[in-house]
């Protein structure tokens, strides 16, 4: 009988201690969908279209070596629009630390975009800086700069979402 009571108390204690407090969970919001178009609206990531980029490479500027590739897969929507999906992979450095509970990190990526004009391959090197906001309750993309131009910002209290960015070249 004593063993049954102790087992019941143990199971009850284990059940209560496994409960979670929703406030203790950190929201993570770092997915970027990056579209690149020209001023006429042409999808420049669709290699089948004239004038579009036919290949690309992405490098982590803060990587441990001069060439530190980052996986940024090319995806396509149901409307046949191509985009880069960036989830993670580049090193993050602390940009500022206002307090232990409020920090800003950043990553820097270099995009090598290649297209062919008159049988000559032309490579364009672009840069992207991603700033992240970190608090105990949230880790999220707060700003994206493409070639030193702000192309995306997000307020601290904005809900989680797939962050969509359109670059006009």
């Amino acid at each position: 009988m004593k063993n049954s009571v102790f087992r019941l108390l143990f199971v009850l204690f284990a059940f209560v201690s496994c409960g979670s407090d929703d406030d203790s969970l950190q929201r993570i919001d770092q997915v970027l969908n990056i579209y690149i178009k020209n001023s006429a609206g042409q999808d420049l990531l669709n290699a089948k279209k004239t004038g579009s980029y036919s290949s690309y490479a992405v490098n982590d500027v803060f990587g441990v070596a001069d060439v530190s590739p980052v996986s940024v897969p090319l995806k396509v929507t149901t409307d046949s629009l191509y985009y880069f999906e960036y989830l993670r992979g580049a090193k993050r450095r602390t940009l500022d630390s206002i307090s232990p509970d409020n920090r800003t990190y950043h990553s820097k990526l270099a995009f090598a975009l290649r297209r062919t004009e008159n049988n000559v391959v032309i490579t364009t090197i672009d840069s992207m800086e991603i700033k992240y906001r970190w608090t105990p309750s949230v880790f999220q993309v707060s700003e994206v700069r493409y070639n030193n131009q702000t192309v995306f910002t997000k307020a601290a209290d904005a809900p989680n979402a797939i962050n969509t960015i359109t670059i006009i070249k």
Side-chain angles (χ1 to χ4, degrees):
M1 180 75 170
K2 281 186 174 181
N3 286 340
S4 298
V5 171
F6 285 119
R7 285 184 190 156
L8 179 63
L9 286 173
F10 178 76
V11 169
L12 184 61
F13 176 74
F15 180 74
V16 170
S17 66
C18 289
S20 67
D21 179 9
D22 288 340
D23 292 337
S24 67
L25 297 176
Q26 185 183 46
R27 292 182 304 133
I28 298 176
D29 181 10
Q30 64 183 23
V31 177
L32 294 174
N33 287 352
I34 306 160
Y35 296 82
I36 300 179
K37 298 179 178 184
N38 65 14
S39 58
Q42 177 184 333
D43 179 2
L44 294 178
L45 297 177
N46 185 345
K48 297 174 186 170
K49 294 186 177 182
T50 304
S52 294
Y53 299 109
S54 55
S55 65
Y56 69 97
V58 182
N59 192 50
D60 181 1
V61 174
F62 297 150
V64 295
D66 287 343
V67 179
S68 296
V70 176
S71 176
V72 181
L74 187 61
K75 300 212 169 185
V76 64
T77 67
T78 55
D79 296 340
S80 299
L81 292 174
Y82 288 79
Y83 64 96
F84 293 126
E85 180 184 63
Y86 177 71
L87 301 173
R88 65 186 175 281
K91 285 191 173 217
R92 296 182 198 112
R93 290 187 177 171
T94 303
L95 189 61
D96 64 43
S97 183
I98 298 168
S99 75
D101 291 338
N102 190 354
R103 298 182 194 136
T104 302
Y105 294 91
H106 70 141
S107 299
K108 288 189 178 180
L109 303 172
F111 284 78
L113 305 166
R114 293 175 194 84
R115 62 187 167 92
T116 304
E117 274 186 28
N118 300 323
N119 295 323
V120 176
V121 176
I122 298 170
T123 302
T124 302
I125 305 295
D126 288 345
S127 65
M128 177 182 280
E129 178 182 21
I130 306 165
K131 292 183 182 178
Y132 302 91
R133 178 182 300 110
W134 180 92
T135 68
S137 62
V138 68
F139 178 79
Q140 68 182 173
V141 173
S142 60
E143 181 181 12
V144 177
R145 295 178 59 83
Y146 197 86
N147 291 338
N148 294 319
Q149 300 295 315
T150 300
V151 294
F152 178 84
T153 58
K154 186 173 206 172
D157 58 350
N160 281 15
I162 294 176
N163 304 302
T164 301
I165 299 167
T166 301
I167 309 298
I168 306 297
K169 295 186 71 65

